[in-house]
């Protein structure tokens, strides 16, 4: 099929549909990624042409979800970006503990948006379990556009090499050996609710203390990025923190978030 798998009109139709459904933006420079994922879907569904597959996804919401799943990149690992977790451990959680002790509300509410196969929310849960004082609880919602990734996340079973980067104290305390891998213990699993969510829409969540959405908005164009960030603002309470990917920035966007440089990493906060 070569590089002319999609003609220019088809490419424009696909990228417009994907953008309208999810906010994910395909430029000419990453056209080859879209084409390779489409080839695979056509092969698996036995649809003969891109035009016929386009018709199918317009008529079949489930197949549209599968395509969106296939075009998202699900690269993640436990405790990804050490500086972020140092900021969380040494700055953000101590500050939230102090604030919540003053307010009398001792529940920490966290959203891991774009959680992929679950390593990020499990990492967050382990840190909270380790650091929160008696009487405090944590509730974590972990969402993704990929149903396949969410199934892996819910299972919580990882091959041993995937545990690279997990502190030994957490491996001993929060994982159990199983076959060739390790399973996350129930005391951590029960802190997390995994849920399918498309960031193009309002999640319905409110009063969040912490949002992690790392290496997700990089796939969106500027209007879609601003829309997502505005939804985060609405979902977060008046004393809260936002973590985005180290290659992502809110610079130039009209948001209410305040840039915060800690000793370890740069993050954003909402103080109103």
């Amino acid at each position: 099929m070569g590089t002319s798998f999609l003609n220019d009109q088809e490419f424009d139709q696909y990228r417009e549909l994907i953008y309208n459904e999810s906010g994910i933006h395909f430029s000419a420079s990453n056209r080859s990624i879209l084409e390779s994922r489409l080839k695979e879907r056509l092969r698996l569904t036995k649809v003969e042409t891109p035009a016929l597959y386009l018709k199918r996804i317009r008529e079949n919401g489930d197949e549209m979800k599968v395509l969106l799943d296939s075009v998202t990149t699900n690269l993640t690992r436990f405790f990804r970006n050490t500086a972020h977790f140092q900021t969380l451990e040494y700055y953000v959680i101590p500050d939230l503990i102090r604030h919540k002790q003053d307010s009398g509300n001792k529940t920490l509410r966290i959203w891991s948006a774009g959680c992929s196969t679950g390593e990020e929310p499990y990492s967050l849960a382990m840190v909270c379990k380790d650091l929160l004082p008696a009487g405090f609880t944590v509730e974590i919602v972990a969402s993704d556009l990929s149903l396949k990734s969410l199934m892996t996340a819910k299972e919580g079973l990882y091959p041993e090499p995937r545990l690279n980067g997990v502190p030994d104290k957490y491996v001993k305390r929060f994982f159990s050996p199983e076959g060739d891998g390790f399973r996350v213990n129930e005391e951590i699993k029960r802190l997390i609710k995994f849920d399918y969510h498309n960031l193009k829409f309002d999640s319905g969540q409110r009063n969040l203390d912490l949002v992690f959405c790392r290496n997700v908005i990089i796939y969106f164009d500027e209007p879609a990025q601003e829309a997502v960030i505005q939804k985060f603002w609405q979902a977060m309470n008046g004393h809260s923190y936002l973590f985005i990917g180290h290659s992502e920035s809110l610079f130039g966007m009209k948001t209410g978030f305040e840039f915060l440089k800690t000793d370890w990493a740069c993050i954003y906060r909402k103080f109103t």
Side-chain angles (χ1 to χ4, degrees), residues 14 30 44 48 64 68 73 77 104-105 109 111-112 114 128 135 149 157 160 172 193 210 220 227 233 246 266:
Y14 271 104
N30 52 23
L44 291 170
E48 291 183 0
M64 185 74 227
L68 292 177
T73 304
R77 62 178 181 271
N105 172 9
R109 303 191 68 241
W111 182 12
S112 170
C128 289
S149 295
L157 179 62
E160 187 172 358
K172 292 184 180 120
K193 178 190 174 190
L210 186 57
F220 300 167
W233 177 270
H246 62 85
C266 297

Side-chain angles (χ1 to χ4, degrees), residues 91-271:
Y91 185 98
V92 171
I93 287 183
D95 177 69
L96 288 173
I97 289 170
R98 283 192 298 271
H99 177 71
K100 287 191 167 290
Q101 282 173 330
D102 291 341
S103 70
N105 172 9
K106 294 187 177 179
T107 299
L108 204 63
R109 303 191 68 241
I110 301 174
W111 182 12
S112 170
C115 70
S116 189
T117 45
E119 287 90 335
E120 178 180 274
Y122 285 131
S123 299
L124 293 170
M126 287 185 270
V127 170
C128 289
K129 192 75 176 173
D130 192 33
L131 296 182
L132 291 180
F136 273 76
T137 56
V138 61
E139 298 172 358
I140 301 172
V141 172
S143 68
D144 203 88
L145 192 64
S146 167
L147 291 166
K148 184 179 175 186
S149 295
L150 286 169
M151 293 298 288
T152 300
K154 284 181 180 178
E155 187 71 12
L157 179 62
Y158 299 94
E160 187 172 358
R162 293 279 286 279
L163 268 66
N164 286 343
V166 181
D168 287 344
K169 65 176 182 175
Y170 290 163
V171 176
K172 292 184 180 120
R173 185 175 165 194
F174 299 130
F175 289 87
S176 300
E178 186 171 319
D180 295 330
F182 286 82
R183 187 180 293 278
V184 179
N185 291 349
E186 281 302 316
E187 67 169 322
I188 293 300
K189 274 189 170 185
R190 72 169 70 102
L191 302 177
I192 305 169
K193 178 190 174 190
F194 289 101
D195 195 20
Y196 176 86
H197 180 64
N198 185 334
L199 287 173
K200 191 171 175 67
F201 304 104
D202 182 6
S203 70
Q205 298 188 79
R206 295 296 182 265
N207 301 315
L208 295 166
D209 302 296
L210 186 57
V211 173
F212 265 63
C213 183
R214 302 185 299 164
N215 309 303
V216 175
I217 65 169
I218 200 168
Y219 296 104
F220 300 167
D221 69 356
E222 205 168 294
Q225 287 180 350
E226 286 207 17
V228 169
I229 296 301
Q230 186 56 35
K231 289 185 183 73
F232 289 154
W233 177 270
Q234 292 166 351
M236 294 164 71
N237 72 30
H239 187 111
S240 52
Y241 292 90
L242 171 67
F243 285 70
I244 60 176
H246 62 85
S247 61
E248 298 168 327
S249 170
L250 304 189
F251 181 74
M253 289 189 205
K254 294 185 179 71
T255 83
F257 286 104
E258 178 185 345
F259 180 77
L260 176 65
K261 189 176 190 307
T262 72
D263 289 343
W264 306 273
C266 297
I267 59 172
Y268 293 88
R269 67 183 177 188
K270 174 182 177 180
F271 281 10

Side-chain angles (χ1 to χ4, degrees), residues 13-14 17 53-61 64:
Q13 289 173 324
Y14 271 104
L17 182 59
Y53 186 70
L54 187 65
K55 184 173 184 291
R56 173 178 287 200
I57 59 176
R58 281 178 168 152
E59 295 171 352
N60 185 327
M64 185 74 227

